[in-house]
Amino acid sequence: QIRCHRTTVAKGRQQGIGEVSQAFMVAYCMQAVDPLGVFITAHDEKTAKVHIARPRALMESLPGPIRGAPLGGAQDEWTWHNNTKWNSATFLGKAGKAQGLSNHLYHGTECGMYGDIAPTNETMGSIEATIDEESPHLFIVKESTSNGPGSWWQWHVENARQPNSGENFRFFPCSINPMNRKSFASDAERSAFIDGMGVEEERVIAQHAAYVASLRPWEARLLSNAGTLTLTPEFFHWRKTKKGHKDQFLFAHDFPMTVDEAFLSGGLGYFDGDRIDEQRKRQMRPEVTRWGAEVWEAPQSFCRY
């Protein structure tokens, strides 16, 4: 049986939570005696296909005696040998999603892209209605990088963080990702970098310490054994290099150290800061309005941007 039935994961980019969630579902379904229903949603059709293809590829890579009979069915709907049914769909913010299905495991990926609160709640309600709440196999995971404030994802994360929410809420800061490290060319360069560390690095160290203090003992042991709980100069070197290529709010959104930091970007407008900077670097002279706005190209009436 699954101990934790409902999990919400807020994270930065490239944390691999989607892959871990689906690998878990594959392993769980392999051991289940009863036929199960698995449902995966993503924000667009391309992503949905990726997320339904991954567990299938994982199953097909297993040795024959473990895998069982070949998988049958279409790309976005197929059945495993024990009649476990896997389905995926694009999350469109409409009621009736997953209608007619009977699900035990649900994976909502890229939830930050699902849209506004009201229509997304309506769709989530229709998905939840297909899930057997009394089943010992119940497993629901919703995970995403944020997509700015005011979204359904922020609303859901804030609710999931509450003590009696019924959710296992986890946040993974960018500091625990072992890929977020950049080596130095020499010991001298490393020493010079350490000498130059200051207030910004102290702030990040304090945020990381608060995260470590919030961990359960088994989580702390797991991450400590993996060597990702200790902040090294290599992490700050990676952070400084990465941050130098991004708008500061966009960086906080993609690689947050706290939950609140993850939802900072988006409040500045709809346009990517990097794209605007690229436009400014071009050999063009914008028209500056009396309000100080830069107009690079005149807007067109009745055109949807």
Side-chain angles (χ1 to χ4, degrees), residues 39-49 88-95 97-98 106-128 142 152-153:
F39 192 51
I40 300 173
T41 60
H43 66 288
D44 60 28
E45 187 176 348
K46 179 181 178 182
T47 309
K49 287 181 178 179
S88 73
T90 302
F91 196 101
L92 297 175
K94 295 179 181 178
K97 192 64 69 178
Y106 168 65
H107 179 202
T109 183
E110 306 285 1
C111 292
M113 306 289 287
Y114 283 5
D116 295 331
I117 296 172
T120 302
N121 269 337
E122 192 175 359
T123 301
M124 278 297 176
S126 70
I127 291 174
E128 295 269 358
K142 299 167 186 173
W152 174 84
W153 180 237

Side-chain angles (χ1 to χ4, degrees), residues 192-203:
F193 183 88
I194 294 172
D195 291 340
M197 292 171 61
V199 176
E200 170 68 9
E201 287 75 20
E202 290 176 4
R203 179 183 67 84

Side-chain angles (χ1 to χ4, degrees), residues 47-234:
T47 309
K49 287 181 178 179
V50 169
H51 283 284
I52 193 66
R54 184 184 290 126
R56 180 166 183 163
L58 181 57
M59 287 180 177
E60 291 178 334
S61 70
L62 298 171
I66 300 176
R67 181 180 70 245
L71 305 173
Q75 237 182 1
D76 58 352
E77 181 180 339
W78 42 272
T79 305
W80 202 12
H81 69 95
N82 63 351
N83 287 324
T84 288
K85 298 185 183 302
W86 292 70
N87 291 271
S88 73
T90 302
F91 196 101
L92 297 175
K94 295 179 181 178
K97 192 64 69 178
Q99 191 171 20
L101 301 177
S102 178
N103 298 307
H104 303 86
L105 294 86
Y106 168 65
H107 179 202
T109 183
E110 306 285 1
C111 292
M113 306 289 287
Y114 283 5
D116 295 331
I117 296 172
T120 302
N121 269 337
E122 192 175 359
T123 301
M124 278 297 176
S126 70
I127 291 174
E128 295 269 358
T130 71
I131 296 173
D132 182 3
E133 292 285 343
E134 302 302 321
S135 171
H137 305 294
L138 178 68
F139 174 71
I140 298 174
V141 60
K142 299 167 186 173
E143 49 87 11
S144 185
T145 305
S146 79
N147 193 34
S151 63
W152 174 84
W153 180 237
Q154 185 184 30
W155 174 87
H156 177 73
V157 165
E158 290 302 320
N159 283 305
R161 293 172 72 182
Q162 302 308 311
N164 299 319
S165 67
E167 293 271 345
N168 172 38
F169 175 73
R170 308 315 296 153
F171 168 71
F172 297 122
C174 66
S175 55
I176 67 166
N177 188 342
M179 299 298 293
N180 296 344
R181 305 289 188 272
K182 182 177 173 60
S183 59
F184 295 91
S186 64
D187 291 341
E189 182 185 1
R190 191 174 192 269
S191 297
F193 183 88
I194 294 172
D195 291 340
M197 292 171 61
V199 176
E200 170 68 9
E201 287 75 20
E202 290 176 4
R203 179 183 67 84
V204 173
I205 289 171
Q207 289 174 330
H208 183 75
Y211 168 76
V212 173
S214 72
L215 293 173
R216 300 160 186 169
W218 68 267
E219 291 175 316
R221 286 195 302 271
L222 184 67
L223 292 170
S224 181
N225 291 338
T228 60
L229 278 191
T230 303
L231 291 190
T232 63
E234 282 71 18

